[in-house]
Amino acid sequence: MSASNVPCDADEFTGRRILVTGGSKGIGEAIVNRLRRGGASVLATARTIPAAGKSEQLIESDGSTRAGVDHILKTTFDRLGGLDILINSVGSSFAPSGGVLALTDEI
C-alpha cells in the first residue's frame, strides 16, 4: 500500500502550523505529505531545495549551524505566524555524543 492510499482525516491537522526539518526527501518528505493531506500548513527545511521543490513550502538552510537555525526560525514565523508542532527529521549530524545536553551554539 502506498502512502497516498493510507486513509486519513482531511481535517486532522487543520489550523496547525508545522515545521519538519529534513523534509525534502525520504521519511521527512513522507511526513510532510501526510501532514498536508491532513490539512496542516507545513514548512520543511532542506540544505538545498530540490529542483522539483516548491520554494514557498521549503526553507533552504543548514540546521546544524546557529545562523541556519536563526534563518529557519525567522522564516517559519514570517511565513506561518507561529508554530504548533516541530518534527525533527533531519538525516545527519556532526554533533558530539551525549544528546541535546552536550550541544552548544558553537557545535
Side-chain angles (χ1 to χ4, degrees), residues 23-39:
S24 64
K25 59 185 173 181
I27 293 171
E29 182 181 25
I31 293 168
V32 167
N33 292 335
R34 170 58 180 87
L35 293 169
R36 286 188 180 137
R37 285 193 357 245

Side-chain angles (χ1 to χ4, degrees), residues 4-104:
S4 60
N5 294 333
V6 174
C8 73
D9 179 351
D11 295 322
E12 183 176 8
F13 296 105
T14 297
R16 299 290 184 205
R17 301 163 297 180
I18 302 174
L19 174 65
V20 179
T21 64
S24 64
K25 59 185 173 181
I27 293 171
E29 182 181 25
I31 293 168
V32 167
N33 292 335
R34 170 58 180 87
L35 293 169
R36 286 188 180 137
R37 285 193 357 245
S41 298
V42 183
L43 291 177
T45 68
R47 287 189 182 144
T48 57
I49 296 178
K54 297 179 181 178
S55 61
E56 69 277 1
Q57 296 175 340
L58 291 162
I59 302 170
E60 185 172 358
S61 190
D62 182 353
S64 70
T65 68
R66 177 59 192 238
V69 170
D70 288 345
H71 176 69
I72 292 167
L73 291 172
K74 181 179 182 333
T75 304
T76 298
F77 279 78
D78 287 348
R79 291 187 190 173
L80 298 180
L83 189 62
D84 299 302
I85 300 170
L86 169 65
I87 297 173
N88 188 16
S89 180
V90 71
S92 63
S93 173
F94 300 105
S97 62
V100 70
L101 297 178
L103 301 178
T104 66

